[in-house]
Amino acid sequence: AAKQSGGGGGQVREKPGMKPGSIGSGMGTSRGLEAALQQVRVGVTRSGKKGKTVTVIDGLDPGGGVEEAKELIQKFKKVLGTGGSLAENGAMSFQGDNAALLVDMLVAMGYKAAKQTGGLGGKK
């Protein structure tokens, strides 16, 4: 079942049949691991977003379940000054190309293996 957005609101649409490991595929193998061991990937995409640039964080398990993830998204949104959302599979998405800044923030938070994958831009 795909998560559909109504009229914007920065929601992520999950595609049924999304390949594991592709950007937007969710938490993956990071579930339950400590922060330093999680394979966090930050990527920028335009696919399926009506041409709008979206930064997606995959492989991040903040621990504490959905509430902890929502609190983390709120912190990121405040720092980035953009909208963002949490998909059912655990992927976090934010408006615009903020990959370099998000990677720096994640590394500072203890996610030492956080890396930028692919993407449309570089450091800001």
Side-chain angles (χ1 to χ4, degrees):
K3 182 176 179 181
Q4 299 291 322
S5 66
Q11 296 296 311
V12 172
R13 289 184 188 197
E14 286 185 46
K15 296 181 180 173
M18 182 175 283
K19 295 178 187 173
S22 64
I23 197 72
S25 62
M27 249 184 256
T29 59
S30 292
R31 189 176 306 256
L33 292 177
E34 61 183 73
L37 299 176
Q38 293 184 27
Q39 296 295 314
V40 181
R41 298 293 176 253
V42 181
V44 180
T45 183
R46 284 191 183 130
S47 62
K49 315 291 187 253
K50 298 183 182 177
K52 305 235 188 287
T53 304
V54 177
T55 304
V56 180
I57 300 176
D58 281 327
L60 177 65
D61 181 12
V66 175
E67 291 306 314
E68 184 73 23
K70 287 182 180 179
E71 286 179 27
L72 189 58
I73 284 180
Q74 290 301 319
K75 290 177 186 176
F76 285 151
K77 285 168 46 174
K78 195 171 197 176
V79 171
L80 298 173
T82 65
S85 64
L86 177 67
E88 289 177 10
N89 65 5
M92 299 178 184
S93 67
F94 302 91
Q95 297 170 352
D97 183 353
N98 297 297
L101 181 57
L102 282 167
V103 168
D104 290 344
M105 290 169 58
L106 288 164
V107 169
M109 292 170 59
Y111 296 93
K112 303 295 182 197
K115 292 184 181 166
Q116 184 173 348
T117 59
L120 305 171
K123 288 251 185 208
K124 287 188 174 183

